[in-house]
């Protein structure tokens, strides 16, 4: 695709678009910084998390370089706008595939590495891998990218100075394929999806609640409370008689968060709205990829070692949807019941603990 650096007509002054590109990069940097702030408590020593952090740092470097070019003007700047756009687009277009592959391997072999390495060593290893990916992409860009500008002419005598930049075909194929797989997996179960969502929300709320202890001064209301809890539990069981399979449950959890992002991305691709790689490879795509990788590993490890709970839960609540596929009753989790014996006093009995199975 071509980026328009300048536009002019024969009898008019040139219009420089450097400031527009600067605002575009500033918008991306602000969006990525906001997402990083929201997801900061979920950052770990895993490779995908460090890749997301490196994307924000690369945005800052690109923003600083574009600001310098705009401030110094093309005559005084050591590099041109075309040089920055062309090279950064090539570098960003090279990132998605190795980040996907190495991120999946890092999650798959995390159990084995955890027994042999300390967290500091894992952090250093994944940091070195992240730097290596960026270094290889930069070397490839240096060897293959040509940042020469050329002049073209539109209809009506409008001329433009353009620069060739790269799109990210990997991201486009990724979002289209993922949307198709998600729709095909959930469409046959569309009638049960609302009930499954309600059940998953109840499981998530129940997991966050502290254990409930029934005290003796509230025993006068136990009859009405028990009736209400039994009615709610009965209604929930009736609306969700058949729990989803593990694959469908995970696709449901993924779609509940990332389906709007996939729809918007696919619409941009189908409309032919070319977006350069230095914009489309952002932290929003990185978090979507991270959620997918964690879900895939949860799905693969569930048959091998049961409840796989050493990976970060991310933002899709994979443990909740894993529990949903097993059909556990909501009224049984994370509750501590109290039996009252008039002669002996209260006697506590602990029921199934949600956090132990989730």
């Amino acid at each position: 695709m071509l980026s328009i650096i300048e536009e002019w007509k024969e009898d008019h002054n040139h219009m420089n678009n450097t400031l527009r590109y600067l605002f575009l990069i500033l918008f991306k940097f602000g969006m990525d910084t906001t997402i990083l702030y929201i997801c900061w408590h979920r950052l770990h020593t895993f490779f995908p998390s460090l890749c997301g952090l490196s994307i924000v740092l690369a945005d800052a470097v690109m923003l600083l370089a574009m600001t310098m070019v705009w401030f110094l003007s093309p005559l005084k700047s050591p590099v041109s706008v075309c040089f920055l756009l062309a090279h950064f687009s090539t570098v960003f277009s090279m990132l998605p595939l190795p980040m996907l592959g190495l991120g999946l391997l890092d999650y798959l072999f995390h159990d084995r590495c955890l027994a042999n390495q300390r967290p500091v060593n894992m952090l250093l290893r994944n940091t070195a891998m992240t730097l290596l990916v960026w270094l290889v992409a930069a070397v490839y860009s240096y060897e293959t990218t040509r940042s020469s500008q050329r002049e073209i002419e539109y209809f009506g005598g409008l001329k433009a100075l353009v620069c060739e930049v790269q799109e990210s075909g990997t991201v486009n194929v990724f979002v289209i394929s993922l949307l198709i797989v998600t729709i095909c997996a959930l469409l046959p179960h569309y009638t049960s999806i609302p009930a499954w969502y309600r059940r998953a929300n109840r499981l998530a709320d129940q997991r966050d609640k502290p254990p409930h202890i029934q005290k003796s001064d509230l025993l006068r209301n136990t009859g009405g409370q028990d009736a209400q809890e039994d009615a709610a539990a009965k209604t929930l069981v009736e609306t969700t008689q058949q729990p989803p399979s593990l694959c469908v449950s995970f696709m449901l959890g993924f779609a509940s968060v990332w389906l709007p992002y996939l729809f918007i991305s696919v619409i941009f691709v189908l409309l032919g709205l070319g977006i350069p790689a230095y914009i489309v490879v952002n932290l929003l795509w990185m978090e979507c990829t991270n959620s997918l990788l964690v879900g895939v590993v949860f799905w693969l490890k569930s048959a091998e070692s049961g409840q796989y709970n050493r990976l970060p839960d991310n933002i899709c609540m994979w443990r909740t949807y894993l529990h949903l596929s097993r059909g556990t009753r909501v009224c049984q989790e994370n509750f501590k019941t109290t039996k009252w014996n008039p002669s002996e006093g209260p006697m506590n009995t602990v029921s199934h603990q949600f956090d132990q199975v989730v």
Side-chain angles (χ1 to χ4, degrees), residues 190-209:
Y190 70 95
T191 56
S192 303
I193 288 178
W196 289 340
Y197 268 131
R198 289 193 297 269
R199 185 183 181 91
N201 291 333
R202 283 180 173 266
L203 287 171
D205 294 340
Q206 199 65 42
R207 180 184 179 187
D208 296 334
K209 289 181 180 179

Side-chain angles (χ1 to χ4, degrees), residues 249-311:
S249 181
F250 279 1
M251 295 303 298
L252 188 67
F254 182 83
S256 64
V257 178
W258 295 111
L259 198 59
Y261 166 74
L262 294 179
F263 266 122
I264 294 175
S265 300
V266 171
I267 288 174
F268 283 161
V269 174
L270 295 181
L271 292 179
L273 303 177
I275 303 178
Y278 59 82
I279 298 297
V280 74
V281 181
N282 49 43
L283 206 60
L284 195 62
W285 175 82
M286 197 68 234
E287 285 296 323
C288 178
T289 303
N290 196 12
S291 297
L292 176 67
L293 295 180
V294 174
V296 169
V297 176
F298 261 93
W299 176 58
L300 294 176
K301 292 289 184 177
S302 61
E304 176 183 332
S305 57
Q307 179 70 41
Y308 188 69
N309 55 10
R310 293 187 177 180
L311 288 180

Side-chain angles (χ1 to χ4, degrees), residues 156-195:
L158 182 63
K159 297 182 180 181
L161 195 64
V162 298
C163 176
E164 186 175 356
V165 296
Q166 297 292 326
E167 294 183 83
S168 179
T170 303
V171 173
N172 295 338
V173 173
F174 174 83
V175 294
I176 293 176
S177 303
L178 197 53
L179 180 62
I180 293 175
V181 171
T182 303
I183 293 176
C184 292
L186 296 181
L187 191 59
H189 311 281
Y190 70 95
T191 56
S192 303
I193 288 178

Side-chain angles (χ1 to χ4, degrees), residues 84-94 164-166 276-278:
L84 293 178
L85 296 181
H87 281 279
F88 271 99
S89 64
T90 304
V91 169
F92 274 94
S93 67
M94 294 294 297
E164 186 175 356
V165 296
Q166 297 292 326
Y278 59 82

Side-chain angles (χ1 to χ4, degrees), residues 181-242:
V181 171
T182 303
I183 293 176
C184 292
L186 296 181
L187 191 59
H189 311 281
Y190 70 95
T191 56
S192 303
I193 288 178
W196 289 340
Y197 268 131
R198 289 193 297 269
R199 185 183 181 91
N201 291 333
R202 283 180 173 266
L203 287 171
D205 294 340
Q206 199 65 42
R207 180 184 179 187
D208 296 334
K209 289 181 180 179
H212 176 67
I213 301 176
Q214 208 173 41
K215 297 183 179 180
S216 58
D217 57 345
L218 299 177
L219 288 178
R220 63 175 66 96
N221 298 325
T222 55
Q225 292 177 354
D226 292 340
Q228 293 177 359
E229 291 176 0
D230 292 340
K234 183 178 179 181
T235 303
L236 184 62
V237 172
E238 289 176 354
T239 55
T240 56
Q241 295 179 355
Q242 183 66 32

Side-chain angles (χ1 to χ4, degrees), residues 244-251 298-300 302-303 321-322 325-326:
S245 63
L246 184 61
C247 180
V248 173
S249 181
F250 279 1
M251 295 303 298
F298 261 93
W299 176 58
L300 294 176
S302 61
Y321 283 93
L322 178 61
S325 66
R326 295 178 175 177

